Amino acid sequence: GGEHLTSRRRARGSQGAMPPPSLVREYPVIECDLEFVELTRLGAPLEVFCADPSELPSVGGRNVPEHGAFVARVLSRHESSGESAGLPHDWNGGGFTRVWRRDPTGGAVVVPAPRVGTLRDHVADLVMLSDDWFVLGLRFEVDAEIRRSFNLHGFTSVARGHLRIFVVPSVDDHGVARVMVTAGGEHSPLADVVRSLPPFHADEPPALDMLRAYVEGPTAPAFPGTRESTADDRSDVAGSIPGAGDAERGRTPDGLFPHQARTARWMAAVERAGADAGADAGADAGADAGA
């Protein structure tokens, strides 16, 4: 096995290094719509980073405060839109998942690949953001399973590259942006850490708990509006986020999203079981009294 791996590396080296991917699959542990001008004023998709002043003293002539700051990079068109912006999948005979959309199975979303290098290497491409959208918006949209972990460790996890934040303005409502926080890509720093540790090790990063909660938790199914259509659609809307109509079509007749409907059914089943047990106990008591 080792000799075979070495020979493959030599063959790859003789052909030149493989170029890094421009798009990757990651898991969207958080996904929501936010209405903050700070997120839509640039009119383009963004990747948001968390900068520490020791790494990045200033951005665009503004000093990074002692507690850190959010900075954003405008994503290029070839990364965030266009007919070829996506990745093929092999589910149900194969197809194509566009950027910002989930694979048909609903687990992973296609996003731009991480840039090589540090924030300092790309400082000319960065703009500083206020933190209102995060403090007053995103933190309150996080599912219960990961809210505490994200509120305590979210900024640090993004700064380490264990989580990534993307902002995609709506094409239908210029005041709304879809925000996705992703984790667990094959080429991510989080994946590198996980490979080096045994399961449930004390040194596991907090972002791994968020990823587990997304995969295993009751709210794990995709937000309805981001599901890729069954057709291999590469229309002009590639790279845009879905409108409210898409989300509404994902609701039940009672107006609930799928995970909410599952919770309601579970609660109803528990209540029925309790009622049945109470009725049985009453019947037994009546029989005893009659005897």
Side-chain angles (χ1 to χ4, degrees):
E3 294 179 358
H4 178 63
L5 179 61
T6 302
S7 62
R8 282 195 302 168
R9 286 174 176 165
R10 287 173 179 165
R12 189 182 301 130
S14 64
Q15 297 169 2
M18 293 290 290
S22 59
L23 296 167
V24 293
R25 286 182 166 90
E26 298 187 356
Y27 293 95
V29 296
I30 304 169
E31 185 172 0
C32 62
D33 288 339
L34 294 179
E35 298 184 35
F36 285 85
V37 174
E38 190 74 347
L39 300 180
T40 59
R41 63 185 174 88
L42 296 175
L46 311 171
E47 182 170 3
V48 180
F49 306 90
C50 296
D52 184 273
S54 63
E55 178 190 8
L56 199 67
S58 64
V59 174
R62 297 172 58 185
N63 291 332
V64 173
E66 184 178 351
H67 61 270
F70 293 99
V71 296
R73 177 177 73 89
V74 175
L75 299 171
S76 63
R77 289 185 61 84
H78 83 271
E79 292 176 291
S80 59
S81 64
E83 185 173 322
S84 61
L87 293 174
H89 65 77
D90 56 7
W91 183 81
N92 197 25
F96 187 81
T97 304
R98 292 174 293 158
V99 65
W100 311 129
R101 301 282 183 166
R102 296 184 190 233
D103 284 328
T105 53
V109 65
V110 175
V111 296
R115 264 195 172 184
V116 176
T118 66
L119 288 180
R120 190 188 293 267
D121 296 331
H122 305 289
V123 66
D125 299 330
L126 302 176
V127 294
M128 192 176 295
L129 302 178
S130 72
D131 58 7
D132 287 353
W133 65 274
F134 184 90
V135 175
L136 302 178
L138 184 61
R139 292 195 309 121
F140 295 97
E141 298 291 338
V142 179
D143 287 340
E145 295 93 337
I146 63 173
R147 185 176 298 136
R148 182 176 182 276
S149 182
F150 183 74
N151 289 346
L152 290 174
H153 306 290
F155 188 95
T156 302
S157 296
V158 174
R160 292 174 176 170
H162 296 169
L163 297 176
R164 302 174 69 200
I165 301 177
F166 296 97
V167 177
V168 188
S170 169
V171 295
D172 299 317
D173 186 341
H174 297 303
V176 175
R178 171 63 49 83
V179 178
M180 288 184 287
V181 181
T182 65
E186 180 183 353
H187 305 284
S188 70
L190 179 61
D192 293 338
V193 172
V194 171
R195 292 187 190 105
S196 65
L197 293 174
F200 301 103
H201 191 274
D203 293 334
E204 281 185 351
L208 188 57
D209 284 336
M210 301 182 210
L211 180 57
R212 284 199 187 102
Y214 165 75
V215 173
E216 301 169 0
T219 54
F223 188 91
T226 62
R227 286 198 181 279
E228 188 63 89
S229 63
T230 54
D232 185 10
D233 180 12
R234 304 192 193 185
S235 63
D236 292 339
V237 298
S240 67
I241 67 171
D246 294 317
E248 292 300 323
R249 284 193 291 273
R251 294 178 184 264
T252 68
D254 296 326
L256 301 176
F257 287 120
H259 71 273
Q260 294 171 325
R262 280 197 308 278
T263 303
R265 289 194 297 270
W266 174 80
M267 293 174 65
V270 171
E271 290 170 356
R272 284 196 301 272
D276 292 343
D280 292 341
D284 293 341
D288 292 341

